[in-house]
């Protein structure tokens, strides 16, 4: 592994520690946008977090945010707000690519997931290029 890549990894780890220290209580749900085409964080990506109302199946907006220089959006939800249920992260990918003078096959990406144990920490990253995306459940 190159020295440059090791330095990048170190800065990511230190950044996460700083965010946790600044917020006092880290968000139990985190996300991270990575531009896999260029190998860089997805900065200034607008996103919204929703929770599905179980009685009406309507999506209730919890928060909106924008990813920072590291591709992260700290403080998505407090531990007190975080309850079991179905959530959705909506990423405005078309705007992101347009800001770089490019088009995208996907105008937005929505990741829908179920939280059964709100006592755990959940990390839901988005790995994106102009023509593909993927995600996984991290911790």
């Amino acid at each position: 592994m190159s020295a440059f890549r090791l330095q990048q990894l170190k800065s990511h780890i230190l950044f996460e520690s700083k965010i946790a220290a600044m917020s006092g209580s880290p968000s139990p749900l985190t996300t991270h946008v990575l531009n896999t085409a260029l190998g860089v964080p997805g900065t200034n990506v607008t996103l919204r977090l929703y929770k599905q109302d179980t009685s009406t199946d309507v999506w209730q907006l919890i928060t909106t945010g924008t990813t920072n220089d590291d591709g992260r959006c700290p403080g998505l939800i407090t531990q007190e707000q975080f309850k079991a249920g179905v959530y959705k992260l909506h990423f405005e990918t078309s705007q992101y690519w347009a800001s770089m003078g490019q088009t995208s096959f996907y105008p937005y990406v929505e990741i829908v997931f179920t939280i059964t144990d709100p006592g755990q920490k959940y990390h839901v990253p988005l790995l994106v290029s102009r023509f593909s995306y993927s995600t996984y459940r991290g911790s």
Side-chain angles (χ1 to χ4, degrees):
M1 190 174 285
S2 73
F4 175 74
R5 184 66 184 134
L6 287 172
Q7 183 59 39
Q8 280 185 315
L9 290 171
K10 180 181 174 186
S11 70
H12 284 280
I13 293 167
L14 293 176
F15 182 80
E16 280 293 308
S17 299
K18 262 197 264 185
I19 292 297
M22 287 185 335
S23 65
S25 176
S27 176
L29 174 65
T30 57
T31 190
H32 190 188
V33 178
L34 297 169
N35 177 333
T36 57
L38 299 176
V40 298
T43 60
N44 296 313
V45 177
T46 301
L47 62 92
R48 293 186 292 277
L49 175 65
Y50 297 88
K51 184 174 187 292
Q52 190 174 45
D53 183 314
T54 55
S55 63
T56 64
D57 288 334
V58 172
W59 291 104
Q60 302 293 322
L61 179 65
I62 295 173
T63 191
T64 60
T66 305
T67 58
N68 59 22
D69 289 343
D70 197 41
R72 299 174 190 275
C73 187
L76 283 175
I77 190 169
T78 66
Q79 188 65 56
E80 294 75 35
Q81 292 175 300
F82 199 50
K83 307 292 182 204
V86 179
Y87 289 82
K88 172 171 65 175
L89 276 167
H90 175 101
F91 299 87
E92 293 292 342
T93 52
S94 182
Q95 291 174 1
Y96 170 70
W97 293 108
S99 73
M100 295 184 289
Q102 299 181 351
T103 59
S104 173
F105 185 69
Y106 300 100
Y108 60 87
V109 171
E110 290 186 330
I111 302 170
V112 179
F113 52 96
T114 303
I115 299 300
T116 55
D117 181 359
Q120 291 185 26
K121 182 174 175 355
Y122 296 84
H123 183 63
V124 183
L126 173 64
L127 290 73
V128 65
S129 75
R130 292 175 51 217
F131 300 103
S132 68
Y133 67 88
S134 65
T135 188
Y136 58 91
R137 189 261 162 120
S139 60

